[in-house]
Amino acid sequence: MLRTALRNVLAHKARLLMTVLAVMLGVAFVSGTLVFTNTISDAYQKSSAKGFDQVDVAVQAESQEDKGDKIGKTPELTRAMLDKSAQVPGAASATGAVTGFTAIADKHGKLIGGGFQSQGGNYWGAKDARYPLAEGHAPSGTGEVLIDSATARRAGYEVGDTVRISVDGPVLTPKITGIFTTDDGNVAAGGSLALFDTATAQQLFGKPGTYDEIDVKAAAGTSQAALKSELDKALPKGLTETTTGQQLADDQAELISSSMAGLKQGLLVFAGIALFVGTFIIANTFTMLVAQRTRELALMRAVGASRRQVTRSVLLEAFVVGAVAAVAGLIAGIGIGAGLRSLMGSLGATVPDGPLVISPGTVVAAFAVGILVTMLAAWLPGRRAAKIPPVAAMSSLHAPATTKSLVLRNTLGALFSGAGVAVVLAATTMEGSDGQAPMGLGAVLLIIGVFILTPLLSRPLIAAAAPVLRGFGVAGKLARQNSVRNPRRTAATASALMIGLTLITGMTVMAGSLQKSIDKMASAAISADYVVSMANGNELSPDVEKKLGRVDGVTATSPLRNAASRIDGTTEYLTGVNGRAIGELTDLKVDEGSFTVGGTKVVVDADTAESHHWKAGSDFTVSYEDGRRQRLTVAGVYEGNEMIEGIILDNSALSPHQSDPADMQVMVKTSDGATSATKDRLEKALGSNPAVKVQDKKDLSNDIAQMFTLMLNMVYGLLAMAVIVAVLGVVNTLAMSVFERSQEIGMLRAIGLDRKGIKRMVRLESLVISLFGAVLGIGLGVFFGWAAGELLGARMATYELVLPWARIAVFLLLAGTVGVLAALWPARRAARLNMLSAIKSE
């Protein structure tokens, strides 16, 4: 049986090629994902570990928990703590570290780095071991700065140049006095790092006289654990916590690993989809191969082979195919991993240097996936082959499906589909995340149900295309009949396309609907002409609002300032605004009372009011971050949304209780409205700062649209693998179908159908099957998009279903194109069959 299985594999090399390709693509996706994520994770971990070379023990402030009406305030690391740390036994030196956001502009005024990776810090003394100087000297005062060598190289900066820098809004123009090298992970990932002298850094980052961290270097012969123990004894308990450099490196490595886990899981999900689609092709291929070898298998049964041996023979063929595909897929996956890393570099996302990581787990996963998926897909065809009675098989009597089996299949499909629809509909009535798991379960049940019912659905849906196919004469009629001749095979081929288009359509419907809803939300909540914010989402200096208020044509401004507070023993975040102007800058629907903000009068969104049982006229006591308490009155209750929500009060009441007031954004109203000239005036008033965004409603909408478009394009790109596998399935099915029907095609040629007619017949058959799968996929995708939207709509009042008819038409057109292209080779092969040889074939 072993020799027989190997002979069959070698005898049908061309037929199995498409199957090997389908499995190989899925394996390549899996192994490529693992190679890519392991390589990136390893590079970041090694780069991060180098950053802790100068730290044996790090002293940090211990965060304080909120208790009662008191807000926990993080203690400060003072100069006294720094001096004490340097004097403990076993300490060689102690360095105070100060960090914060610092945006560096290139020579064209554009932001360098990715916003969140734009950092600043302090250079300790005249020579800081953390940042070796490549050239120049240490900075001194607010007019001098150091920049990292990678940033200097990318932007073309040299020592002596003047650079535009922003910390919290206003632009600074210090002189570059030196360029340093660093192993900082953010810089290695394409970010930037600017260093000031310690006093300047403390002033710029709002930390005068204090530090974010104290890094202590151990003396020769002192271990990190021993130094940590001495620091724990010397420093105040409950205010500081110490961590060894090794522990920091381990924690950072774990953090990097966990952050990469999400990316890895996401990519593996799409790899799983591609493999799932590939199972249809494998099952189809082995079903057709087994059907072609019916007599051969019957003869083996007649000479003594048992059913189990026949099944094992088919599984052994699958094992060989899976193993070959796994080897090819692993090699291709290594190439994909290397290519993805290079692609990140070409897109500007710099990755730290490091070798390509091919772990034993990646190799095991590639072989496990390739072999197991192939053998599982081939098991059912092998089992069916073994159950055919030898006499019937030797007489070429292919036992048709019995009425009982068809009724059982259709009943099972109807039950799965009904259960799936019921669960999805039930999930749409749930709130928030409670409905996500049920909706996922319902989607899986419905897809399985539709797959089971696809042979039943194929006849009426393909029959609907009959009027169009009649226009192609005999070729069209034959194509329709061939499409429904073997419903199970047609269903398996169409289902591969169906799954890919279900996901693509569902994502498109959701993205379009969300975009429309957020557009409505922005126009409904904000009546300001512009919203000013930092490019990376950091806080703005209060000076920004003052500068904007002095611009010609500006009629009203208001910052949005966040602060934590304690109300009734729980933490609530307050939003400070300009009470006199906020009504003019927003357009929020008021359910109770009036939108009056000023003095001790506040407005509260409906959800917060409900949770505290407040209504217009209610009083409550708030405890601010400085511990002081104040009695506030609810003047009105408004309908909040994702853009504006919570407790809104006047900054005159909030700011006195904040040690370092800062704004998340500033809303601006102008006399001329949103015009390009007005926008230019606002940007110039802020020093044409690349780190600050001045956006009107259209800009806000475009920002969101860009995010959805990027996500959607990523999904399209990842699902393209599944679609490619589906295309291979169509090609494989048609090619083997042509082989099966060689005698029939020869007879058609003999009675007058020319080669063009044969080609047209095969192409139309492929087109019908592809469009059948597309119609099912688009229908399911629209349903899932609607259901997911209903779930989101419970939390988003402005949600509105948008059906992207233009894109749906494009999807149908692409499915038709796939069908035509997939048929090119099989159609050419069918047309070139020798008429007499085909008629004589069995």
Side-chain angles (χ1 to χ4, degrees):
M1 296 303 293
L2 174 63
R3 287 196 299 271
T4 302
L6 293 175
R7 180 184 62 80
N8 284 324
V9 171
L10 295 174
H12 304 121
K13 292 187 288 292
R15 303 183 207 173
L16 291 171
L17 177 61
M18 293 296 178
T19 305
V20 171
L21 282 173
V23 182
M24 184 199 77
L25 285 172
V27 173
F29 208 155
V30 172
S31 54
T33 295
L34 295 175
V35 169
F36 171 66
T37 52
N38 288 341
T39 297
I40 298 298
S41 180
D42 181 71
Y44 276 119
Q45 286 176 15
K46 287 179 178 176
S47 175
S48 174
K50 290 179 182 177
F52 296 109
D53 287 347
Q54 298 299 320
V55 182
D56 286 316
V57 179
V59 180
Q60 297 167 322
E62 186 173 340
S63 59
Q64 307 295 301
E65 294 183 3
D66 298 343
K67 296 179 181 178
D69 286 335
K70 293 185 178 180
I71 298 173
K73 186 177 180 182
T74 303
E76 297 176 335
L77 299 179
T78 63
R79 179 74 196 195
M81 293 180 182
L82 174 68
D83 294 339
K84 187 175 287 188
S85 299
Q87 294 167 3
V88 299
S93 62
T95 302
V98 184
T99 57
F101 168 73
T102 303
I104 304 177
D106 62 19
K107 292 184 177 181
H108 303 289
K110 300 290 180 68
L111 177 66
I112 298 174
F116 289 96
Q117 296 169 332
S118 302
Q119 297 296 315
N122 66 310
Y123 189 83
W124 190 255
K127 187 176 181 181
D128 193 330
R130 299 172 300 169
Y131 308 111
L133 281 175
E135 54 181 305
H137 60 82
S140 176
T142 56
E144 296 185 352
V145 69
L146 303 180
I147 64 172
D148 66 272
S149 55
T151 299
R153 185 173 58 254
R154 289 202 302 271
Y157 281 128
E158 298 178 352
V159 173
D161 290 345
T162 298
V163 62
R164 296 169 63 81
I165 287 179
S166 174
V167 172
D168 57 2
V171 175
L172 306 173
T173 54
K175 178 182 176 183
I176 299 173
T177 63
I179 294 173
F180 62 92
T181 58
T182 178
D183 293 315
D184 186 279
N186 284 321
V187 174
S192 61
L193 181 59
L195 300 179
F196 307 90
D197 68 79
T198 301
T200 301
Q202 290 173 326
Q203 177 189 341
L204 291 174
F205 302 139
K207 302 159 186 173
T210 65
Y211 307 94
D212 292 303
E213 182 175 296
I214 298 172
D215 298 331
V216 186
K217 187 75 176 169
T222 303
S223 67
Q224 290 186 352
L227 180 58
K228 179 181 184 301
S229 178
E230 292 295 336
L231 286 166
D232 287 337
K233 294 176 187 176
L235 295 173
K237 290 182 173 57
L239 297 180
T240 60
E241 55 185 0
T242 58
T243 312
T244 63
Q246 183 60 52
Q247 185 62 51
L248 287 172
D250 292 344
D251 291 345
Q252 186 73 10
E254 186 176 344
L255 180 64
I256 291 169
S257 181
S258 62
S259 66
M260 294 299 296
L263 174 64
K264 183 185 292 185
Q265 289 172 4
L267 291 172
L268 287 176
V269 164
F270 288 98
I273 293 168
L275 284 168
F276 183 58
V277 171
T279 57
F280 294 114
I281 300 173
I282 301 164
N284 239 6
T285 302
F286 277 93
T287 299
M288 296 168 79
L289 286 174
V290 167
Q292 292 169 14
R293 287 162 40 207
T294 303
R295 287 189 177 184
E296 176 188 325
L297 294 174
L299 183 60
M300 290 171 62
R301 290 287 311 281
V303 298
S306 65
R307 287 184 176 183
R308 185 173 296 177
Q309 284 179 309
V310 171
T311 304
R312 284 177 182 171
S313 174
V314 175
L315 289 177
L316 188 57
E317 290 180 47
F319 174 84
V320 174
V321 171
V324 172
V327 172
L330 177 60
I331 295 170
I334 294 170
I336 288 173
L340 285 173
R341 177 174 171 170
S342 299
L343 179 63
M344 286 186 69
S346 66
L347 293 175
T350 309
V351 179
D353 293 332
L356 205 63
V357 177
I358 306 166
S359 67
T362 300
V363 178
V364 170
F367 278 92
V369 168
I371 292 171
L372 288 178
V373 167
T374 309
M375 292 184 70
L376 285 173
W379 175 75
L380 189 58
R383 186 170 174 270
R384 281 181 186 161
K387 291 175 70 174
I388 298 175
V391 174
M394 292 181 73
S395 303
S396 294
L397 297 174
H398 300 282
T402 63
T403 303
K404 180 180 177 181
S405 68
L406 290 174
V407 170
L408 178 62
R409 180 186 179 107
N410 294 337
T411 302
L412 192 63
L415 289 174
F416 268 97
S417 299
V421 171
V423 174
V424 169
L425 291 177
T428 60
T429 63
M430 299 179 183
E431 293 186 3
S433 59
D434 294 341
Q436 292 178 2
M439 186 165 290
L441 174 63
V444 171
L445 290 173
L446 180 54
I447 288 175
I448 292 173
V450 171
F451 170 65
I452 296 173
L453 288 174
T454 304
L456 179 67
L457 297 172
S458 64
R459 290 186 179 277
L461 288 178
I462 292 176
V468 178
L469 292 174
R470 286 196 195 103
F472 294 93
V474 174
K477 184 178 180 180
L478 290 171
R480 185 182 66 79
Q481 292 174 348
N482 289 334
S483 301
V484 295
R485 175 185 294 184
N486 191 331
R488 288 187 177 183
R489 184 186 302 167
T490 298
T493 306
S495 295
L497 272 175
M498 177 191 79
I499 292 170
L501 282 173
T502 295
L503 295 167
I504 289 172
T505 305
M507 291 295 297
T508 303
V509 169
M510 282 186 62
S513 301
L514 280 170
Q515 178 62 52
K516 179 74 172 178
S517 306
I518 291 171
D519 286 349
K520 288 175 63 178
M521 184 190 302
S523 60
I526 300 174
S527 56
D529 295 316
Y530 295 98
V531 174
V532 180
S533 61
M534 292 293 282
N536 68 334
N538 270 20
E539 297 175 331
L540 287 163
S541 166
D543 291 339
V544 171
E545 191 214 358
K546 295 176 184 176
K547 289 184 177 182
L548 292 170
R550 294 194 291 266
V551 176
D552 290 340
V554 171
T555 58
T557 63
S558 174
L560 265 65
R561 185 172 297 171
N562 291 344
S565 71
R566 298 286 288 178
I567 300 173
D568 298 333
T570 61
T571 299
E572 290 282 0
Y573 282 88
L574 309 174
T575 301
V577 299
N578 180 347
R580 295 186 304 276
I582 192 64
E584 187 180 350
L585 296 164
T586 57
D587 189 19
L588 297 166
K589 183 181 178 183
V590 179
D591 294 334
E592 293 181 49
S594 63
F595 200 85
T596 303
V597 179
T600 59
K601 290 185 178 181
V602 303
V603 291
V604 184
D605 71 285
D607 291 340
T608 303
E610 184 180 354
S611 66
H612 287 282
H613 307 291
W614 295 336
K615 58 184 180 181
S618 297
D619 293 326
F620 63 93
T621 301
V622 60
S623 180
Y624 295 106
E625 64 180 38
D626 62 355
R628 295 183 182 178
R629 305 174 72 185
Q630 186 176 27
R631 195 76 175 165
L632 301 176
T633 302
V634 178
V637 177
Y638 68 93
E639 290 186 10
N641 54 52
E642 284 74 7
M643 301 189 76
I644 300 177
E645 61 184 353
I647 302 170
I648 299 177
L649 75 165
D650 194 89
N651 274 328
S652 62
L654 176 63
S655 298
H657 304 284
Q658 292 183 288
S659 57
D660 185 23
D663 304 326
M664 292 307 297
Q665 56 184 230
V666 178
M667 292 188 290
V668 181
K669 188 82 171 176
T670 64
S671 56
D672 298 333
T675 65
S676 58
T678 303
K679 185 175 181 179
D680 287 342
R681 286 202 303 271
L682 295 177
E683 289 178 340
K684 286 177 182 177
L686 297 175
S688 300
N689 192 329
V692 177
K693 296 190 294 186
V694 179
Q695 298 176 294
D696 58 21
K697 291 181 186 179
K698 186 177 180 181
D699 293 330
L700 289 170
S701 177
N702 289 341
D703 258 10
I704 298 167
Q706 276 186 333
M707 180 179 67
F708 283 124
T709 302
L710 178 63
M711 290 175 59
L712 205 57
N713 288 340
M714 287 176 62
V715 171
Y716 287 165
L718 293 169
L719 287 175
M721 185 69 76
V723 174
I724 290 170
V725 174
V727 171
L728 289 175
V730 177
V731 175
N732 208 18
T733 300
L734 288 173
M736 300 188 76
S737 179
V738 166
F739 178 83
E740 277 186 349
R741 303 196 320 252
S742 295
Q743 189 178 54
E744 176 187 317
I745 291 171
M747 290 296 296
L748 289 171
R749 291 288 314 283
I751 61 175
L753 190 63
D754 60 11
R755 288 186 174 183
K756 286 185 178 179
I758 295 292
K759 286 183 179 180
R760 188 179 297 118
M761 176 188 73
V762 176
R763 288 170 184 164
L764 288 173
E765 181 182 347
S766 175
L767 180 64
V768 167
I769 292 173
S770 298
L771 289 177
F772 170 53
V775 168
L776 288 179
I778 289 171
L780 284 173
V782 169
F783 175 70
F784 291 141
W786 166 82
E790 288 295 301
L791 194 61
L792 286 171
R795 292 182 293 176
M796 189 178 289
T798 57
Y799 186 83
E800 176 185 339
L801 179 67
V802 175
L803 292 180
W805 295 111
R807 291 209 176 191
I808 288 174
V810 170
F811 295 157
L812 280 172
L813 181 63
L814 287 175
T817 305
V818 162
V820 173
L821 293 177
L824 290 178
W825 177 59
R828 185 168 178 269
R829 182 182 177 192
R832 294 181 65 185
L833 284 175
N834 183 282
M835 190 187 312
L836 295 177
S837 300
I839 291 173
K840 290 191 294 182
S841 66
E842 295 185 4

